[in-house]
Amino acid sequence: MRKAEIRVEGVDTFFERARKVARLADRGDKIPPSRVISFEDMESLLHVLTEKRVLLLRQLKKTPGSISDLARQVKRDRSAVTRDIKVLERFGVIQVTEKPLPGHGRQKWIAPIARDIQLIAAL
């Protein structure tokens, strides 16, 4: 996917957006591909997108890779990066897949869900 949005929107706005997609489906029209991660309030968004996690996302945009590679690139402890990766994956901001290593073993490969991620919020 090329583009994803992370936004703050109320419940009414969320369901209105869902109704528009449902109307398109009911008419048999093509539903445009989109990836929207929405939060009900700014506090919830800031709880997930901390400063360190935003830095991880920026690094992943440059070069997707393993947790160890990512921890080395951002100069953080591997366990802290692993915790942040789990939170971002749970909220659908990144994608974690397992790749086989040549010879033996497996490695978790981390990549953003989209090439461009837009943050949309109004105060």
Side-chain angles (χ1 to χ4, degrees):
M1 180 158 287
R2 300 190 108 168
K3 184 177 139 186
E5 292 179 5
I6 300 173
R7 64 170 64 171
V8 175
E9 65 182 355
V11 174
D12 294 337
T13 308
F14 173 83
F15 283 112
E16 181 57 36
R17 192 166 39 85
R19 280 191 284 276
K20 287 179 184 177
V21 171
R23 283 186 209 112
L24 289 173
D26 288 344
R27 288 193 306 251
D29 294 343
K30 183 177 177 184
I31 299 172
S34 68
R35 169 76 95 169
V36 177
I37 301 162
S38 63
F39 294 89
E40 190 171 0
D41 54 35
M42 186 67 74
E43 292 80 17
S44 300
L45 179 128
L46 293 175
H47 180 72
V48 173
L49 290 180
T50 63
E51 181 182 354
K52 300 284 186 179
R53 291 177 187 152
V54 170
L55 290 174
L56 285 176
L57 285 173
R58 285 185 177 154
Q59 185 61 44
L60 283 171
K61 185 177 176 184
K62 292 178 192 173
T63 55
S66 70
I67 294 175
S68 298
D69 293 340
L70 187 57
R72 192 171 32 260
Q73 291 166 350
V74 296
K75 297 177 176 77
R76 290 183 59 204
D77 183 59
R78 187 182 189 285
S79 63
V81 171
T82 300
R83 279 192 304 272
D84 287 345
I85 292 295
K86 286 181 181 179
V87 170
L88 292 173
E89 180 186 24
R90 188 173 68 233
F91 282 93
V93 179
I94 60 170
Q95 180 178 6
V96 179
T97 55
E98 284 196 14
K99 286 186 166 185
L101 290 174
H104 68 322
R106 301 184 71 70
Q107 180 180 53
K108 288 187 178 181
W109 191 258
I110 317 300
I113 57 164
R115 187 174 47 184
D116 296 319
I117 299 175
Q118 292 181 337
L119 178 61
I120 301 170
L123 296 175

